[in-house]
Amino acid sequence: AETLTLAVHDRGHFCGEISMLTGGPAIASGVALGPARVVRIENAEFRKFASSDEPLAKIVLTAMAARSRDIEA
């Protein structure tokens, strides 16, 4: 399988929001380039956070739209 770098995330960045919001399968996988600290959030908990915190929801939806555009390009 071909490997393609879609993004490189820095401290405090996140991924996986597209499948968390759509309920579909992940559209990409990730690999840490060095030591990493990862937090896993279950779909239901993520949706609860996103629906109760407007600033968080705006950040997530903006990132999701940008990433969707990047993948389609």
Side-chain angles (χ1 to χ4, degrees):
E2 181 182 354
T3 300
L4 176 66
T5 301
L6 297 175
V8 176
H9 296 293
D10 293 318
R11 173 180 276 186
H13 289 185
F14 58 90
C15 59
E17 74 285 349
I18 295 173
S19 60
M20 296 286 271
L21 291 170
T22 65
I27 61 172
S29 60
V31 176
L33 299 176
R37 186 173 179 186
V38 178
V39 176
R40 180 184 174 148
I41 302 172
E42 295 297 325
N43 287 19
E45 196 66 21
F46 176 79
R47 288 180 180 165
K48 187 166 86 173
F49 286 140
S51 67
S52 65
D53 187 325
E54 188 174 329
L56 172 65
K58 184 175 180 179
I59 290 167
V60 170
L61 292 174
T62 300
M64 184 174 118
R67 293 174 189 172
S68 293
R69 282 192 306 270
D70 290 346
I71 291 168
E72 292 174 1

